[in-house]
Amino acid sequence: MQRATKIQRRQVIGALCWAALGLGVLTVVLRQIASLDAIVFAPIAGCAVVGVFVLARRWGDWGILVAYVVSMGFFIQLRDAADETGLRILTSYVLDWELWMFGGVTPSAWLQSRIGGAESAPGLPAYFSAIVHWTWFVFPHAAVIGTWLFVRRMAWRVTIIVALTFYLGVILYFTVPTAPPWMAAEQGLINDVVRGMHSVGPAILGVDFYNWAFEAMAEPNPSAAMPSLHFAASFVVVGVGIVLRSRWLIGVALLYSAALTFALVYLGEHYIADIIAGGAVAAFAFGAVEGGRFVRYWLQRRSAELEERWVRVANWLREALRLPPMRIPTS
């Protein structure tokens, strides 16, 4: 009887997850053809992502990749919808903090004025920064795929950590839409900051191809600055290295995160506050997954001891309250 109930519950959960996933796909279509409101789309898409991760546990090793690809697809849609909520794009809170922290100048303006080469005639630092920036589209995803290929037993944990990092970031995109330094400069709020990507991109890729790629991948939500998911998704690979106990991966991830920090600030894409927030998001995602796993393991190991302690406490309470002893049913 108990086994039948468990199977029935599993079937009900599966049906609900498939329904959530199907509804999520439908809302993506409606968003494209009927301009579905972002406030309606976001929770449905979130439920669809949870549903696909639950279902993927039943699909074996391939389910890991399916869940990750689907979750990234929904993430792209959510990131692009985050500036469609009607909330005012914020600037002053992070700009004021940065001006106060760095003596009245933003790091982006300081780097561009000292190093140069971010404007119409890009120099070596601009080329370096742009290339590092573009590799972000590969680096965190390569960690997931590499784990799946070579350390399959860790792949599920790593996939959840990386995906959770992206989704924590997109929650902040919806709730705290923030203008990056280059946008603040265009609004006249700060001086001497240009978007270095616009000078390097056409020089490397050609004007037509760069404009097409930029509009497809970056333009849909220019206010997705807080936190820096570029940094968060790369810094979380440090946590992946910890999970895999790989010193070389930890070292590479730290060096890459440092290079990416320079690139993002120098190109005018992010404030230092965005970088710090991105690191916090990555640390939280890693701590949530690994911390939850540790607590579950600890409870399993000590379940017998905890049960014995509970019996002692219960008996002490009965004696203190002069209650009758526990009845032990006879078979």
Side-chain angles (χ1 to χ4, degrees):
M1 180 66 180
Q2 185 176 2
R3 181 178 177 84
T5 303
K6 186 175 181 180
I7 294 175
Q8 185 178 13
R9 187 185 303 118
R10 180 185 176 94
Q11 292 173 342
V12 170
I13 293 173
L16 290 175
C17 289
W18 277 113
L21 182 57
L23 186 59
V25 173
L26 177 62
T27 57
V28 171
V29 176
L30 291 176
R31 180 173 175 266
Q32 299 298 325
I33 65 176
S35 300
L36 181 67
D37 189 270
I39 300 299
V40 176
F41 170 67
I44 296 176
C47 291
V49 171
V50 173
V52 76
F53 269 93
V54 173
L55 291 170
R57 293 300 296 264
R58 310 175 184 180
W59 299 340
D61 292 341
W62 285 101
I64 299 171
L65 292 183
V66 171
Y68 188 69
V69 170
V70 172
S71 67
M72 288 301 102
F74 277 107
F75 163 76
I76 292 171
Q77 294 294 322
L78 287 167
R79 180 203 63 188
D80 295 349
D83 63 342
E84 300 171 7
T85 61
L87 294 177
R88 183 172 62 89
I89 298 177
L90 304 174
T91 302
S92 59
Y93 80 99
V94 65
L95 180 58
D96 291 345
W97 178 87
E98 191 152 277
L99 292 172
W100 171 78
M101 179 63 68
F102 296 100
V105 63
T106 65
S108 294
W110 188 89
L111 286 173
Q112 290 188 7
S113 64
R114 294 299 188 279
I115 299 175
E119 297 184 354
S120 57
L124 181 60
Y127 282 104
F128 168 80
S129 298
I131 292 171
V132 170
H133 181 280
W134 293 337
T135 57
W136 172 81
F137 292 98
V138 176
F139 188 75
H141 310 300
V144 173
I145 295 173
T147 306
W148 187 86
L149 288 173
F150 302 111
V151 197
R152 190 71 56 85
R153 61 188 176 85
M154 298 286 193
W156 186 250
R157 290 160 59 189
V158 170
T159 299
I160 294 176
I161 290 171
V162 176
L164 182 59
T165 300
F166 278 97
Y167 277 85
L168 289 173
V170 88
I171 289 172
L172 290 177
Y173 289 168
F174 269 88
T175 55
V176 194
T178 303
W182 65 264
M183 183 181 288
E186 289 184 352
Q187 296 171 353
L189 299 176
I190 55 177
N191 298 320
D192 303 322
V193 176
V194 298
R195 195 171 196 183
M197 200 68 69
H198 283 345
S199 60
V200 179
I204 296 178
L205 302 175
V207 175
D208 293 337
F209 181 78
Y210 173 76
N211 289 337
W212 171 83
F214 179 80
E215 290 177 2
M217 303 181 71
E219 187 63 26
N221 186 3
S223 63
M226 173 61 74
S228 171
L229 270 187
H230 291 85
F231 181 81
S234 302
F235 186 66
V236 80
V237 180
V238 176
V240 174
I242 294 173
V243 170
L244 300 178
R245 299 179 182 180
S246 172
R247 293 182 179 179
W248 74 266
L249 182 56
I250 295 172
V252 168
L254 287 173
L255 287 174
Y256 183 80
S257 297
L260 190 60
T261 298
F262 170 82
L264 294 172
V265 175
Y266 171 69
L267 294 172
E269 297 291 329
H270 284 288
Y271 298 100
I272 293 295
D274 303 338
I275 304 295
I276 295 172
V281 165
F284 183 87
F286 177 79
V289 174
E290 291 304 298
R293 182 174 174 273
F294 173 79
V295 170
R296 185 170 65 252
Y297 174 77
W298 182 83
L299 289 174
Q300 290 174 350
R301 287 287 302 271
R302 305 193 65 178
S303 59
E305 181 181 347
L306 291 172
E307 184 177 355
E308 183 180 351
R309 288 184 180 181
W310 166 246
V311 171
R312 291 178 182 176
V313 171
N315 289 334
W316 180 84
L317 286 173
R318 287 189 181 87
E319 292 178 1
L321 298 175
R322 297 181 179 179
L323 295 175
M326 295 177 59
R327 292 186 178 181
I328 302 176
T330 58
S331 56

